[in-house]
């Protein structure tokens, strides 16, 4: 479903939504409209959405239980001969609930074909909004999940490489620590933060200006490579 702006949902994604027998969206509870579902309501308002509850805490027993329950729900629909579309924010192949759920469904029904429709990622939207060239020439990209235990070491190593563009996902709770790490490697200049992109309350700012303020879980940070003056 892309990062949040309904205008960034691909034509192919909308076709899949309309062709599916059932559209399923992750949510924190059966009563809560998740962000992916909210986007579906904008791009395909005539499509009904079924919710399955997910737990975001990676590695927890609650998450595993929720994943098993969601997989069981999807398998029931598949066994009934339905074509099921599962929607998720961003791209389904990058830090997505989709990958774990698809693996769980494949484990129960190995013969079920699974098709992936790519989506625009939050850092691409943030780069476009801020006019940031992410990588060029021989530069390279490092994507770091700030919520991971190894995030600090990975971030420090990436920040120490001036030719690396650094994208930090899920960095809202760690925004101050991330900014401090970047400052320690002289990488804070040019770094930008975006949250709730394409959604109500969206915010885009220089990271240095907001590092001392709270940000949402899905905040995205983008640090361009160190570049000399244009010639």
């Amino acid at each position: 479903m892309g990062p949040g702006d309904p205008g960034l949902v691909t034509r192919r994604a909308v076709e899949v939504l309309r062709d599916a027998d059932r559209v399923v969206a992750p949510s924190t509870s059966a009563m809560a409209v998740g962000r992916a579902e909210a986007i579906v309501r904008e791009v395909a308002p005539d499509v009904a959405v079924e919710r399955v509850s997910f737990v975001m805490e990676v590695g927890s027993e609650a998450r595993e239980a929720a994943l098993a329950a969601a997989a069981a729900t999807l398998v029931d629909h598949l066994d009934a001969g339905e074509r099921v579309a599962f929607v998720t924010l961003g791209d389904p192949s990058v830090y997505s609930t989709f990958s774990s759920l698809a693996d769980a469904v494949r484990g129960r029904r190995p013969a079920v074909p699974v098709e992936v429709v790519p989506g625009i990622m939050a850092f691409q939207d943030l780069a476009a909004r801020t006019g940031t060239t992410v990588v060029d020439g021989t530069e390279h990209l490092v994507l770091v999940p700030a919520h991971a235990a190894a995030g600090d070491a990975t971030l420090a190593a990436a920040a120490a490489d001036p030719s690396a563009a650094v994208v930090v996902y899920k960095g809202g709770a760690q925004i101050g620590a991330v900014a401090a790490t970047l400052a320690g490697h002289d990488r804070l200049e040019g770094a930008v933060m975006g949250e709730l992109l394409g959604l109500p309350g969206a915010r885009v700012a220089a990271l240095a200006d907001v590092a001392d303020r709270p940000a949402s879980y899905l905040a995205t940070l983008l640090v361009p490579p160190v570049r000399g003056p244009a010639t």
Side-chain angles (χ1 to χ4, degrees):
M1 293 290 99
D5 184 347
L8 296 181
V9 177
T10 67
R11 180 176 177 178
R12 175 62 182 143
V14 175
E15 290 174 350
V16 168
L17 291 174
R18 297 195 182 283
D19 290 345
D21 298 306
R22 188 178 301 266
V23 175
V24 179
S27 179
T28 54
S29 76
M31 301 302 294
V33 177
R35 292 176 180 174
E37 179 183 346
I39 300 171
V40 174
R41 291 185 175 192
E42 289 286 333
V43 300
D46 55 323
V47 171
V49 178
E50 176 181 337
R51 298 170 193 156
V52 291
S53 298
F54 266 79
V55 176
M56 299 307 296
E57 186 180 353
V58 178
S60 67
E61 292 184 4
R63 178 181 174 86
E64 293 304 313
L67 179 62
T73 296
L74 265 63
V75 165
D76 285 344
H77 297 324
L78 294 166
D79 286 348
E82 295 182 347
R83 184 183 183 192
V84 180
F86 180 80
V87 297
T88 184
L89 286 176
D91 181 273
S93 301
V94 181
Y95 299 127
S96 171
T97 53
F98 168 79
S99 55
S100 297
L101 184 57
D103 287 345
V105 169
R106 286 190 185 101
R108 292 163 172 78
R109 298 293 185 272
V112 169
V114 178
E115 177 186 358
V116 180
V117 178
I120 293 173
M121 297 171 62
F123 85 84
Q124 295 171 299
D125 188 5
L126 180 58
R129 289 171 183 265
T130 58
T132 302
T133 298
V134 181
V135 287
D136 196 11
T138 59
E139 298 165 348
H140 56 282
L141 174 65
V142 178
L143 179 58
V144 180
H147 70 294
D152 290 344
T154 304
L155 176 62
D161 181 354
S163 66
V166 184
V167 172
V168 182
Y169 267 12
K170 305 179 181 181
Q174 306 292 334
I175 189 169
V178 169
T181 298
L182 294 173
H185 292 85
D186 295 323
R187 296 294 302 275
L188 196 54
E189 183 177 355
V192 291
M193 185 277 296
E195 63 176 332
L196 301 176
L197 297 175
L199 299 169
R203 180 170 57 145
V204 175
L207 178 56
D209 294 340
V210 296
D212 59 342
R213 307 171 199 172
S216 63
Y217 173 73
L218 290 179
T220 298
L221 311 178
L222 173 59
V223 187
V226 177
R227 300 182 176 115
T231 57

